[in-house]
Amino acid sequence: MGNSQDQLLGQVKKAGRRVQGVLASMGRLDKCQRLLAGVADITQVLLAEEDLDAAVSYALRRARELTGAQEVELGRRIVEGGRELYVPFAGDPPFENPRLELDLAAVGATAWLARFRQGKAVRANAADFSGPLGQMLATYGAGSVLFLPVPGRDGPWGVVGFSSEDPEREWSDEEEALLSSMAASLGAAFCRADTERQTIERERLGEEIGRKEGLLRAAMGKLGNTNFVERAPAA
């Protein structure tokens, strides 16, 4: 009788674990579906909104809500003087120090740089942080981070980063894949904005050249008339 009870109890526990596993899977599935719908919404806004600053702000705020991250930050990649810097572009909440220039090589994050250049993400938690990099992230209270490269025309445009105060926070493959899609949409929006700026600049330049050519033709016409008037008595 005792053995039967133990066996029955074991089966109940096993069934309970299976149910917990199914519920956990359903929870992950529900979370992924919400994130998928949210990223689709973000992509639509980024590609349709004419006000790029407003679209980027919306994208970062919405991504923060979807992931539960403490902060979502966007940094632009700038190469100058032989250094590769990541300069704050936008964040939710807004940056306290928008003048910060982050030199990843200087804080020992050369492996991160290499992954960004290859278009790959970086996932890390507090246990992975050490040296100047660890000190820097500790200053911001980052227990775990997910950094995703934002693609550009010539290498990464920059990086979008998600941080959590929880050192046990794990960023799943599904989150990385879906948020990478958002990062790609950010890159497309910036490329579109650059193209539009270049088009406007070309048009402005064309108008300026046309205006100067008109002035030159008018001046040459006046010069020709003056020469004609001066030569007329000699005829």
Side-chain angles (χ1 to χ4, degrees):
M1 184 76 173
N3 287 340
S4 297
Q5 266 188 327
D6 289 342
Q7 288 175 355
L8 182 59
L9 185 58
Q11 290 174 357
V12 169
K13 287 181 177 179
K14 189 175 181 180
R17 286 194 294 271
R18 282 201 299 269
V19 170
Q20 287 177 344
V22 170
L23 289 175
S25 297
M26 289 175 65
R28 287 195 297 271
L29 178 61
D30 183 53
K31 184 178 179 181
C32 286
Q33 287 175 333
R34 287 199 305 272
L35 184 56
L36 176 60
V39 168
D41 172 53
I42 289 170
T43 298
Q44 184 176 3
V45 170
L46 284 170
L47 299 182
E49 177 61 58
E50 293 184 3
D51 186 339
L52 182 60
D53 289 340
V56 169
S57 295
Y58 174 81
L60 299 185
R61 183 175 67 253
R62 189 82 175 93
R64 185 184 179 204
E65 293 169 355
L66 291 166
T67 60
Q70 267 70 44
E71 293 187 357
V72 180
E73 300 179 347
L74 181 63
R76 180 156 197 173
R77 173 177 175 262
I78 295 176
V79 179
E80 60 178 31
R83 296 192 305 160
E84 188 169 332
L85 305 174
Y86 285 84
V87 180
F89 184 85
D92 188 71
F95 289 110
E96 292 183 6
N97 181 10
R99 298 179 181 276
L100 176 71
E101 293 183 351
L102 177 58
D103 187 338
L104 288 176
V107 295
T110 51
W112 290 19
L113 276 175
R115 289 187 66 83
F116 294 157
R117 290 172 188 149
Q118 295 166 11
K120 295 179 180 178
V122 168
R123 284 186 277 183
N125 57 34
D128 302 312
F129 304 155
S130 62
L133 176 61
Q135 294 170 8
M136 180 198 73
L137 293 170
T139 300
Y140 292 101
S144 67
V145 294
L146 169 66
F147 290 122
L148 301 163
V150 175
R153 286 195 177 91
D154 303 308
W157 178 94
V159 168
V160 59
F162 299 79
S163 64
S164 170
E165 295 174 352
D166 182 5
E168 303 298 321
R169 169 70 155 96
E170 293 185 1
W171 303 91
S172 68
D173 293 340
E174 293 81 7
E175 284 180 307
E176 181 182 323
L178 290 170
L179 293 172
S180 291
S181 173
M182 185 196 84
S185 297
L186 281 166
F190 288 125
C191 285
R192 184 194 68 189
D194 286 343
T195 299
E196 289 174 353
R197 276 194 293 269
Q198 289 170 8
T199 300
I200 291 170
E201 183 62 20
R202 280 196 298 270
E203 290 174 352
R204 189 193 66 77
L205 235 103
E207 290 173 359
E208 183 66 15
I209 290 171
R211 188 182 69 82
K212 289 183 177 179
E213 285 179 344
L215 291 172
L216 181 61
R217 281 195 296 269
M220 290 179 69
K222 287 182 180 179
L223 182 62
N225 290 336
T226 301
N227 289 339
F228 176 76
V229 170
E230 289 176 350
R231 290 194 300 270

